[in-house]
Amino acid sequence: MTTYRAVHRILGFISAVVAAAALTAGTAVAQPPPTGPAPVPALDLDRYLGTWNQLAAVPQPFNLECARDTRAEYTPDPQGNIAVYNRCTTWTGGTNEIRGTAKVNDPFTQAQLHVSFPGVPGQDSIDGPTNYIVTALAPDYSWAVITDPSRLSGFVLARGAALDAPAWRQVRTAIEASGQSPCIYLTSPTTGGIPDIAPLCLR
């Protein structure tokens, strides 16, 4: 069973990867800063609603409590926005959950949104800058890759608890196309899916 110590070792690995990338970048010819990740051309919000399983993610402080079965549920709300319900099973076997709202910021693709959570500093206003970009999506809406304009976050979501090898290859390719490395993503244990936490580039 993965422990906090193992998680911290993995986070240390990621820090080393990021530091090495920064060192390499510093020795290369200066390049203009990359543009933000591109959203998918058109997101059908009705098809996107429902329950998603998190199969991998760039580690964030809020998900360190989650041991397994991290899920997001999206439903329409009376104001025309999207109600967000995130939950997971904690290391002690309890449930960690939070509710929020997603508001579309890009009416052309509908794939760029601002997600807010009441009581979360800096993220408690329903209106705000884009912090959720659907940057890749399976044609059948079976998986999605999410990031933000700064590329500091990232999530691999899927309708099921697992993906097959070809789908994982497509996911890794999509992550690289968005300007991120699969090595900064850690797998998220799910019942019936991946049982451990490891850098996605090692799978």
Coordinates of all heavy atoms in Angstrom, one line a residue, residues 74-125:
Y74 N -20.1 16.3 -12.7 CA -20.5 17.6 -13.3 C -22.0 17.5 -13.7 O -22.4 16.6 -14.4 CB -19.7 17.9 -14.5 CG -18.2 18.0 -14.3 CD1 -17.3 17.4 -15.2 CD2 -17.7 18.6 -13.2 CE1 -16.0 17.4 -15.0 CE2 -16.3 18.7 -13.0 CZ -15.5 18.1 -13.9 OH -14.1 18.1 -13.7
T75 N -22.8 18.4 -13.2 CA -24.2 18.5 -13.5 C -24.7 19.9 -13.7 O -24.0 20.9 -13.2 CB -25.1 17.9 -12.3 OG1 -24.8 18.7 -11.1 CG2 -24.8 16.5 -12.1
P76 N -25.7 20.2 -14.5 CA -26.1 21.5 -14.8 C -26.8 22.1 -13.5 O -27.4 21.4 -12.7 CB -27.2 21.4 -15.9 CG -27.6 19.9 -15.8 CD -26.5 19.2 -15.3
D77 N -26.6 23.4 -13.3 CA -27.2 24.1 -12.2 C -28.2 25.1 -12.7 O -28.3 25.4 -13.9 CB -26.2 24.7 -11.3 CG -25.5 26.0 -11.8 OD1 -26.0 26.5 -12.9 OD2 -24.6 26.5 -11.2
P78 N -29.1 25.6 -11.8 CA -30.2 26.5 -12.2 C -29.8 27.8 -12.9 O -30.5 28.4 -13.6 CB -31.0 26.8 -10.9 CG -30.6 25.6 -10.0 CD -29.2 25.3 -10.4
Q79 N -28.5 28.2 -12.6 CA -28.0 29.5 -13.2 C -27.4 29.3 -14.6 O -26.9 30.2 -15.2 CB -26.9 30.1 -12.3 CG -27.5 30.7 -11.0 CD -28.0 29.6 -10.0 OE1 -27.3 28.6 -9.8 NE2 -29.1 29.8 -9.4
G80 N -27.4 28.1 -15.1 CA -26.9 27.8 -16.4 C -25.4 27.5 -16.4 O -24.8 27.4 -17.4
N81 N -24.8 27.3 -15.2 CA -23.4 26.9 -15.1 C -23.4 25.4 -14.8 O -24.4 24.7 -14.9 CB -22.8 27.7 -13.9 CG -22.8 29.2 -14.2 OD1 -22.4 29.6 -15.3 ND2 -23.1 30.0 -13.3
I82 N -22.2 25.0 -14.3 CA -22.0 23.5 -14.0 C -21.7 23.4 -12.6 O -20.8 24.0 -12.0 CB -20.9 23.0 -14.9 CG1 -21.2 23.1 -16.4 CG2 -20.6 21.5 -14.6 CD1 -20.0 22.8 -17.3
A83 N -22.5 22.6 -11.9 CA -22.2 22.2 -10.5 C -21.1 21.2 -10.5 O -21.2 20.2 -11.2 CB -23.5 21.7 -9.8
V84 N -20.1 21.4 -9.6 CA -19.0 20.5 -9.5 C -19.0 19.8 -8.1 O -19.1 20.5 -7.1 CB -17.7 21.3 -9.7 CG1 -16.4 20.4 -9.5 CG2 -17.6 22.0 -11.0
Y85 N -18.8 18.5 -8.1 CA -18.8 17.7 -6.9 C -17.6 16.8 -7.0 O -17.6 15.8 -7.7 CB -20.0 16.9 -6.7 CG -20.0 16.0 -5.5 CD1 -19.5 16.4 -4.2 CD2 -20.6 14.7 -5.5 CE1 -19.5 15.6 -3.2 CE2 -20.6 13.9 -4.5 CZ -20.0 14.3 -3.3 OH -20.0 13.5 -2.2
N86 N -16.5 17.1 -6.3 CA -15.3 16.3 -6.3 C -15.2 15.5 -4.9 O -15.5 16.1 -3.9 CB -14.0 17.2 -6.3 CG -13.9 17.9 -7.7 OD1 -14.6 17.5 -8.7 ND2 -13.1 19.0 -7.7
R87 N -14.8 14.3 -5.0 CA -14.7 13.5 -3.8 C -13.6 12.4 -4.0 O -13.3 12.0 -5.2 CB -16.0 12.8 -3.5 CG -16.5 11.8 -4.5 CD -18.0 11.4 -4.2 NE -18.4 10.3 -5.0 CZ -18.9 10.4 -6.2 NH1 -18.9 11.6 -6.8 NH2 -19.3 9.4 -6.9
C88 N -13.1 11.9 -2.9 CA -12.2 10.8 -3.0 C -12.2 10.0 -1.7 O -12.7 10.5 -0.7 CB -10.7 11.3 -3.3 SG -10.0 12.3 -1.9
T89 N -11.5 8.9 -1.7 CA -11.3 8.1 -0.5 C -10.0 8.5 0.1 O -8.9 8.5 -0.6 CB -11.3 6.6 -0.7 OG1 -12.6 6.2 -1.3 CG2 -11.1 5.8 0.5
T90 N -9.9 8.8 1.4 CA -8.7 9.3 2.1 C -7.9 8.1 2.5 O -8.3 6.9 2.5 CB -9.0 10.2 3.3 OG1 -9.7 9.4 4.3 CG2 -10.0 11.3 2.9
W91 N -6.7 8.4 3.1 CA -5.7 7.4 3.5 C -6.3 6.7 4.7 O -5.9 5.5 5.0 CB -4.4 8.0 3.9 CG -3.7 8.6 2.7 CD1 -3.8 10.0 2.3 CD2 -3.0 8.0 1.7 NE1 -3.1 10.1 1.1 CE2 -2.6 8.9 0.7 CE3 -2.6 6.7 1.5 CZ2 -1.8 8.6 -0.4 CZ3 -1.8 6.3 0.4 CH2 -1.4 7.3 -0.5
T92 N -7.2 7.3 5.5 CA -7.8 6.6 6.6 C -9.1 5.9 6.3 O -9.8 5.4 7.2 CB -8.1 7.6 7.7 OG1 -8.9 8.7 7.3 CG2 -6.8 8.2 8.2
G93 N -9.5 5.9 5.0 CA -10.7 5.2 4.6 C -12.0 6.1 4.6 O -13.1 5.6 4.3
G94 N -11.8 7.4 5.0 CA -12.9 8.3 4.9 C -13.2 8.9 3.6 O -12.5 8.5 2.6
T95 N -14.0 9.9 3.5 CA -14.3 10.6 2.3 C -14.0 12.0 2.4 O -14.3 12.7 3.3 CB -15.8 10.4 1.9 OG1 -16.2 9.1 1.8 CG2 -16.2 11.2 0.6
N96 N -13.2 12.5 1.4 CA -12.9 14.0 1.3 C -13.7 14.5 0.1 O -13.7 13.9 -1.0 CB -11.4 14.2 1.1 CG -11.0 15.6 1.1 OD1 -11.7 16.4 1.7 ND2 -9.9 16.0 0.5
E97 N -14.5 15.6 0.3 CA -15.3 16.1 -0.8 C -15.4 17.6 -0.7 O -15.1 18.2 0.3 CB -16.7 15.5 -0.7 CG -17.4 15.8 0.6 CD -18.8 15.1 0.8 OE1 -19.0 14.1 0.1 OE2 -19.6 15.6 1.6
I98 N -15.7 18.2 -1.9 CA -15.8 19.6 -2.0 C -16.8 19.9 -3.2 O -16.8 19.1 -4.2 CB -14.5 20.3 -2.2 CG1 -14.6 21.8 -2.1 CG2 -13.9 19.9 -3.6 CD1 -13.3 22.6 -2.1
R99 N -17.6 20.9 -3.1 CA -18.5 21.3 -4.1 C -18.2 22.7 -4.6 O -17.8 23.6 -3.8 CB -20.0 21.3 -3.6 CG -20.4 19.9 -3.2 CD -21.9 19.9 -2.7 NE -22.3 18.6 -2.2 CZ -22.8 17.6 -3.0 NH1 -23.0 17.9 -4.3 NH2 -23.1 16.4 -2.6
G100 N -18.4 22.9 -5.9 CA -18.1 24.2 -6.5 C -18.9 24.4 -7.8 O -19.9 23.7 -8.0
T101 N -18.4 25.4 -8.6 CA -19.2 25.8 -9.8 C -18.2 26.0 -10.9 O -17.1 26.6 -10.7 CB -20.0 27.1 -9.5 OG1 -20.9 26.9 -8.5 CG2 -20.7 27.5 -10.8
A102 N -18.5 25.5 -12.1 CA -17.7 25.8 -13.3 C -18.5 26.7 -14.2 O -19.7 26.4 -14.5 CB -17.3 24.5 -14.0
K103 N -17.9 27.8 -14.7 CA -18.5 28.7 -15.5 C -17.7 28.9 -16.8 O -16.5 29.1 -16.8 CB -18.6 30.1 -14.9 CG -19.4 31.1 -15.7 CD -19.6 32.4 -14.9 CE -20.4 33.4 -15.6 NZ -20.6 34.7 -14.8
V104 N -18.4 28.7 -18.0 CA -17.7 28.8 -19.3 C -17.2 30.2 -19.5 O -18.0 31.1 -19.5 CB -18.7 28.3 -20.4 CG1 -18.0 28.5 -21.7 CG2 -19.1 26.9 -20.2
N105 N -15.9 30.3 -19.8 CA -15.3 31.6 -20.2 C -15.1 31.8 -21.7 O -14.9 32.9 -22.2 CB -13.9 31.7 -19.5 CG -14.0 32.2 -18.1 OD1 -15.1 32.5 -17.6 ND2 -12.9 32.2 -17.4
D106 N -15.3 30.7 -22.4 CA -15.0 30.7 -23.9 C -16.3 30.1 -24.6 O -16.5 28.9 -24.7 CB -13.8 29.8 -24.2 CG -13.5 29.6 -25.6 OD1 -14.2 30.3 -26.5 OD2 -12.6 28.8 -26.0
P107 N -17.2 31.1 -25.0 CA -18.4 30.6 -25.7 C -18.2 30.0 -27.0 O -19.1 29.3 -27.6 CB -19.2 31.9 -25.8 CG -18.2 33.0 -25.8 CD -17.1 32.5 -25.0
F108 N -17.0 30.1 -27.6 CA -16.7 29.6 -28.9 C -16.4 28.1 -28.9 O -17.0 27.3 -29.6 CB -15.6 30.3 -29.6 CG -15.9 31.8 -29.8 CD1 -15.3 32.7 -28.9 CD2 -16.7 32.2 -30.8 CE1 -15.6 34.1 -29.1 CE2 -17.0 33.6 -31.0 CZ -16.5 34.5 -30.1
T109 N -15.5 27.7 -28.0 CA -15.2 26.2 -27.9 C -15.9 25.6 -26.7 O -16.1 24.4 -26.7 CB -13.7 26.0 -27.7 OG1 -13.3 26.5 -26.4 CG2 -12.9 26.7 -28.8
Q110 N -16.3 26.4 -25.7 CA -16.9 25.9 -24.4 C -15.9 25.1 -23.6 O -16.4 24.4 -22.7 CB -18.2 25.2 -24.6 CG -19.3 26.1 -25.3 CD -20.7 25.5 -25.1 OE1 -21.4 25.9 -24.2 NE2 -21.1 24.6 -26.0
A111 N -14.7 25.1 -24.0 CA -13.7 24.2 -23.4 C -12.8 24.9 -22.4 O -11.8 24.3 -21.9 CB -12.9 23.5 -24.5
Q112 N -13.0 26.2 -22.2 CA -12.2 26.9 -21.2 C -13.2 27.5 -20.1 O -14.1 28.2 -20.5 CB -11.4 28.1 -21.9 CG -10.5 27.6 -23.0 CD -9.6 28.7 -23.5 OE1 -8.5 28.9 -23.0 NE2 -10.1 29.3 -24.6
L113 N -12.9 27.1 -18.9 CA -13.8 27.4 -17.8 C -13.1 28.0 -16.6 O -11.9 27.8 -16.5 CB -14.6 26.2 -17.4 CG -15.4 25.5 -18.5 CD1 -14.6 24.3 -19.1 CD2 -16.7 24.9 -17.9
H114 N -13.9 28.7 -15.8 CA -13.4 29.1 -14.4 C -14.1 28.2 -13.4 O -15.3 28.2 -13.3 CB -13.7 30.6 -14.2 CG -13.3 31.0 -12.8 ND1 -12.0 31.1 -12.3 CD2 -14.1 31.3 -11.7 CE1 -12.0 31.5 -11.0 NE2 -13.3 31.6 -10.6
V115 N -13.3 27.5 -12.6 CA -13.9 26.6 -11.6 C -13.7 27.3 -10.2 O -12.5 27.7 -9.9 CB -13.3 25.2 -11.6 CG1 -13.9 24.4 -10.5 CG2 -13.5 24.6 -13.0
S116 N -14.7 27.5 -9.5 CA -14.6 28.1 -8.1 C -15.1 27.2 -7.1 O -16.0 26.3 -7.3 CB -15.4 29.4 -8.2 OG -16.8 29.2 -8.5
F117 N -14.6 27.4 -5.8 CA -15.0 26.6 -4.7 C -15.2 27.6 -3.5 O -14.2 28.3 -3.1 CB -14.0 25.6 -4.3 CG -13.8 24.5 -5.3 CD1 -12.7 24.6 -6.2 CD2 -14.7 23.5 -5.5 CE1 -12.6 23.6 -7.2 CE2 -14.6 22.5 -6.4 CZ -13.5 22.5 -7.3
P118 N -16.4 27.7 -3.0 CA -16.6 28.6 -1.8 C -15.7 28.4 -0.7 O -15.5 27.2 -0.3 CB -18.1 28.3 -1.4 CG -18.7 27.8 -2.7 CD -17.6 27.0 -3.4
G119 N -15.1 29.4 -0.2 CA -14.2 29.3 1.0 C -12.8 29.0 0.7 O -11.9 28.9 1.5
V120 N -12.5 28.7 -0.6 CA -11.1 28.5 -1.0 C -10.4 29.8 -1.4 O -10.9 30.4 -2.4 CB -11.0 27.4 -2.2 CG1 -9.6 27.3 -2.6 CG2 -11.6 26.1 -1.8
P121 N -9.4 30.2 -0.7 CA -8.8 31.5 -1.0 C -8.3 31.6 -2.5 O -7.7 30.7 -3.0 CB -7.6 31.6 -0.1 CG -8.0 30.7 1.1 CD -8.8 29.6 0.4
G122 N -8.7 32.7 -3.1 CA -8.3 33.0 -4.5 C -9.2 32.2 -5.5 O -9.0 32.4 -6.7
Q123 N -10.1 31.4 -5.0 CA -10.9 30.6 -6.0 C -12.3 30.5 -5.5 O -13.1 29.6 -5.8 CB -10.3 29.1 -6.0 CG -10.6 28.4 -7.4 CD -9.9 27.1 -7.5 OE1 -8.9 26.8 -6.7 NE2 -10.3 26.3 -8.4
D124 N -12.7 31.5 -4.7 CA -14.1 31.5 -4.1 C -15.1 32.4 -4.9 O -16.2 32.5 -4.5 CB -14.0 31.9 -2.7 CG -13.4 33.3 -2.5 OD1 -12.9 33.9 -3.4 OD2 -13.3 33.7 -1.3
S125 N -14.7 33.0 -6.0 CA -15.6 33.8 -6.8 C -16.0 33.1 -8.0 O -15.2 32.4 -8.7 CB -14.9 35.1 -7.2 OG -15.8 35.9 -8.1

